[in-house]
Amino acid sequence: MISIAISDLKPALAGLTKVVSAKASLECLRCIRVDATPERVTILGTDLDMYASILLPGAYTEKTANFLFPLERLQAIARRLPPRSFIYLEEGKVAFDLGTGRVSENVEAPKLEEFPVEPAFEVKTVALPESFPRRFIETMGCSSTDETRYVLNGIQLDVSDPACHNMVGTDGRHMFSANSFTLPLSESVIVPNHKLLLWRGLADVPWALAAQKKKNSHLVRIAAGNWTMTLKTIEGNYPNWKQVVPNSQQHRTNITLPEEHEFTPIVNGLPGGDLKDKPVDLIVEKGSVSVKDTCGGSSIVLEGATAKGPDIRIRLNRDYLTKAFDYGLNRIGLVDPMSSMHFTCEGRQMVVMPLRTTDYSQPDKPTDAPTNQTAQQEPQTEKKPMPAINGHTNGAATPHLNGANGSSTQPAEKPAIEVAIDKLDGFKATF
């Protein structure tokens, strides 16, 4: 029987729920694999794209054991136990102490043979700088989630330049890159933006990285604290991101922000956050920097921010502006209102495309303009009648041509062109 402290188990389950899906079609994929020896105890989960395991250093067992356990069941039990309690696992059974004695329950789970085999990894991981995890998570936060642009659904670890390795993430509207470290890779790879890799629980632990190539595909392994994650890379050609990075010599206006500021809540507090693209104007006027909403015209000066160069007003999505603030990018280079904005700070940079200065005072509403335009153009176009088929033309009971009566004694219908003109005249009078 394996003894695990609830204080160690809960953080592990919080991470594994980002890999193991309770809605997986296969029952074995809704379970975790428990591997225990007297020396170490690990639990492993997978969604077939990632295999994530965590070492539980405080767990203890006297015997070797390997079995599956339903993750959702384990979560439900751990949730109702106090932090200082223990849970005891063995194949087909779980026990825990509620203070009045130990309670045990039988648990049904698939056989161990049904669980997918984790890919073998022969390359050793190499330790990375302390700043790498946060930069990695920041970069991943700028990648795309659009399924139609699959190659952008991850970040590129770019080692094409031996003198300057980079990691890059973009969704086509903004892009972030960071360098100042050496990656232990022989060629560039694209790491998918898996939910576990965005988990803040991995941000404050040391990371190590390795990659290996099998046939035409790559595998990446990330060791983060007690976690070990093995995942497939995205195969494809990543865009040439360096082409969109503005040249600093082209900047006409340069903004410098204070190292510590509270600008994010100011920007988020401006009206218009519910509009399409969440627009906000960044304004430089006589060396002062301010932000202004596009609805009521509320303007707030960013105290401590300074600017050099010509006055400029540029519109952008406020989410990208606050993201640059939160990432600590304290220098902004501007060219003109229609060119990309360049946020930089010590080996990190973000490129943001501006918005067109359209009317954002009201949410988008359908307009009747195309219909009216069609109605105005319709009288100018001469319509030719369709040839009669089986004694009918355009749904008319009696054949006719350009309004000419046939042999029928029924009154003639007005041509469609005259009906359109009458309706247009009536519309003008009403208007």
Side-chain angles (χ1 to χ4, degrees):
M1 184 170 286
I2 306 166
S3 171
I4 306 173
I6 291 297
S7 58
D8 292 336
L9 182 61
K10 284 186 176 180
L13 297 181
L16 287 171
T17 53
K18 301 181 183 302
V19 181
V20 181
S21 173
K23 299 180 180 179
S25 56
L26 298 177
E27 186 180 1
C28 62
L29 295 180
R30 300 194 294 269
C31 296
I32 57 172
R33 171 173 173 156
V34 181
D35 297 299
T37 65
E39 291 78 25
R40 56 185 285 144
V41 176
T42 61
I43 52 180
L44 168 71
T46 183
D47 57 4
L48 298 181
D49 291 325
M50 172 185 279
Y51 291 80
S53 66
I54 180 171
L55 172 68
L56 302 175
Y60 172 76
T61 183
E62 294 180 351
K63 299 180 180 179
T64 300
N66 308 97
F67 56 88
L68 302 185
F69 199 98
L71 178 61
E72 196 170 16
R73 181 75 174 275
L74 188 58
Q75 274 186 298
I77 296 172
R79 197 176 293 121
R80 65 176 188 259
L81 293 178
R84 296 184 179 181
S85 60
F86 285 80
I87 193 169
Y88 307 93
L89 299 179
E90 61 180 305
E91 186 173 5
K93 184 178 292 187
V94 59
F96 44 89
D97 193 349
L98 294 177
T100 57
R102 183 173 296 185
V103 179
S104 62
E105 299 178 2
N106 293 327
V107 178
E108 294 184 2
K111 295 181 179 180
L112 184 64
E113 293 76 16
E114 298 180 26
F115 197 78
V117 178
E118 183 180 11
F121 211 90
E122 301 171 356
V123 182
K124 292 184 178 180
T125 57
V126 178
L128 295 169
E130 184 179 353
S131 62
F132 183 88
R134 288 193 174 275
R135 302 293 171 253
F136 185 95
I137 294 174
E138 288 174 351
T139 309
M140 193 71 76
C142 298
S143 61
S144 176
T145 56
D146 185 354
E147 295 180 356
T148 63
R149 309 186 71 181
Y150 180 61
V151 74
L152 300 184
N153 289 185
I155 67 173
Q156 184 189 43
L157 302 181
D158 185 1
V159 296
S160 58
D161 184 355
C164 182
H165 292 179
N166 291 271
M167 51 184 168
V168 187
T170 181
D171 62 357
R173 300 178 186 87
H174 76 311
M175 183 203 73
F176 179 80
S177 70
N179 52 34
S180 303
F181 40 76
T182 302
L183 299 171
L185 303 174
S186 59
E187 56 184 299
S188 302
V189 296
I190 305 174
V191 182
N193 52 4
H194 199 283
K195 288 188 294 184
L196 181 58
L197 295 177
L198 289 166
W199 185 39
R200 291 294 175 179
L202 300 179
D204 298 321
V205 295
W207 280 32
L209 176 70
Q212 72 176 21
K213 186 175 183 179
K214 285 191 174 182
K215 296 182 179 179
N216 295 326
S217 62
H218 289 82
L219 289 175
V220 170
R221 172 161 288 182
I222 298 173
N226 292 325
W227 287 89
T228 301
M229 296 158 283
T230 304
L231 65 159
K232 302 175 183 177
T233 62
I234 296 176
E235 302 301 326
N237 295 321
Y238 201 79
N240 187 357
W241 60 274
K242 294 182 180 179
Q243 289 183 344
V244 303
V245 178
N247 188 334
S248 58
Q249 296 179 353
Q250 298 175 344
H251 298 165
R252 300 182 59 208
T253 304
N254 291 278
I255 300 174
T256 302
L257 306 177
E259 292 185 1
E260 296 183 3
H261 59 76
E262 299 290 337
F263 295 159
T264 296
I266 292 175
V267 174
N268 287 333
L270 290 173
D274 56 342
L275 298 178
K276 179 183 177 182
D277 296 325
K278 302 181 180 180
V280 67
D281 288 342
L282 182 66
I283 302 172
V284 174
E285 187 174 10
K286 297 179 180 180
S288 176
V289 183
S290 61
V291 288
K292 185 176 182 180
D293 76 88
T294 60
C295 299
S298 301
S299 179
I300 301 178
V301 175
L302 301 182
E303 297 292 343
T306 59
K308 294 181 179 180
D311 293 351
I312 188 173
R313 176 172 179 163
I314 189 167
R315 182 164 294 176
L316 72 160
N317 187 312
R318 69 185 66 197
D319 286 348
Y320 300 151
L321 181 60
T322 56
K323 182 181 289 187
F325 290 162
D326 294 340
Y327 284 12
L329 305 178
N330 58 2
R331 293 188 295 273
I332 310 174
L334 307 175
V335 180
D336 57 62
M338 297 307 296
S339 298
S340 57
M341 308 176 65
H342 194 197
F343 298 81
T344 59
C345 181
E346 297 178 354
R348 295 171 290 135
Q349 60 183 343
M350 181 183 293
V351 179
V352 178
M353 295 304 298
L355 299 173
R356 292 180 297 175
T357 54
T358 52
D359 182 14
Y360 283 95
S361 59
Q362 297 292 337
D364 289 349
K365 294 182 179 179
T367 177
D368 295 330
T371 304
N372 294 339
Q373 184 179 6
T374 304
Q376 293 174 5
Q377 294 177 352
E378 189 175 6
Q380 301 174 6
T381 305
E382 183 179 356
K383 293 186 177 180
K384 295 183 179 181
M386 295 289 291
I389 300 176
N390 295 331
H392 297 275
T393 302
N394 290 338
T398 303
H400 60 274
L401 183 61
N402 287 339
N405 293 334
S407 59
S408 173
T409 58
Q410 297 181 4
E413 294 182 12
K414 276 189 176 183
I417 188 67
E418 294 183 12
V419 174
I421 293 174
D422 291 342
K423 288 184 177 180
L424 181 59
D425 290 339
F427 170 78
K428 288 180 178 179
T430 304
F431 184 78

